[in-house]
C-alpha cells in the first residue's frame, strides 16, 4: 500500500473517533472514541514511516503510543468504575458537580 492509502485509513479512523467523542454522552463510548483517535494516529505514523528510511522509528513510536494509551485506558476505567458507584450514573455531565460536592 502507498502512503496515501495509509493516510486515508488513518484520517478515517481519526474522524470517526472525533465524531464519537463530540457526540456521545456515555463515558465508555467517549473512551472508545479516544482509542480510535489514537489508532488513527498510529496508522498514520506507520504508513508514513513505511515509505521512508526511518521505518523502525515510526513503528517504535507507534508502539509507545499504544502502551501509553493502554495505561491511560486502565486508569480511566478504574476512575469511571469508582465514579459510577458514587453517582450511579454514566453521564459525563453529572461528573461536573464533583468540585461542588
Amino acid at each position: 500500500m502507498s502512503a496515501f492509502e495509509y493516510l486515508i485509513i488513518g484520517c478515517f479512523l481519526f474522524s470517526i473517533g472525533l465524531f464519537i467523542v463530540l457526540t456521545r454522552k456515555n463515558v465508555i463510548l467517549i473512551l472508545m472514541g479516544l482509542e480510535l483517535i489514537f489508532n488513527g494516529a498510529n496508522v498514520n505514523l506507520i504508513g508514513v514511516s513505511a515509505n521512508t528510511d526511518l521505518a523502525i522509528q515510526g513503528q517504535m513510536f507507534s508502539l509507545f503510543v499504544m502502551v501509553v494509551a493502554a495505561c491511560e485506558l486502565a486508569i480511566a476505567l478504574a476512575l469511571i468504575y469508582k465514579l459510577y458507584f458514587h453517582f450511579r450514573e454514566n453521564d459525563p455531565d453529572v461528573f461536573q458537580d464533583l468540585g461542588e460536592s
Side-chain angles (χ1 to χ4, degrees):
M1 285 177 44
S2 66
F4 181 71
E5 293 168 344
Y6 282 112
L7 290 175
I8 293 296
I9 293 170
C11 290
F12 183 68
L13 284 173
F14 188 88
S15 300
I16 291 173
L18 187 63
F19 176 75
I20 290 172
V21 167
L22 294 177
T23 59
R24 300 296 178 192
K25 288 291 185 180
N26 189 341
V27 180
I28 302 296
L29 290 177
I30 292 172
L31 284 176
M32 288 175 62
L34 283 174
E35 289 298 317
L36 278 175
I37 289 173
F38 290 143
N39 287 332
N42 287 337
V43 168
N44 285 338
L45 281 171
I46 291 174
V48 170
S49 69
N51 295 321
T52 63
D53 296 334
L54 306 172
I56 194 70
Q57 280 85 2
Q59 293 172 4
M60 292 302 292
F61 189 68
S62 179
L63 182 66
F64 178 73
V65 169
M66 282 192 266
V67 168
V68 170
C71 295
E72 171 259 334
L73 184 64
I75 293 170
L77 285 175
L79 287 172
I80 291 169
Y81 179 75
K82 292 303 262 184
L83 287 172
Y84 179 75
F85 278 114
H86 180 55
F87 288 106
R88 296 287 180 201
E89 191 71 36
N90 201 7
D91 187 17
D93 294 333
V94 175
F95 302 148
Q96 295 290 331
D97 299 334
L98 275 176
E100 300 168 5
S101 59

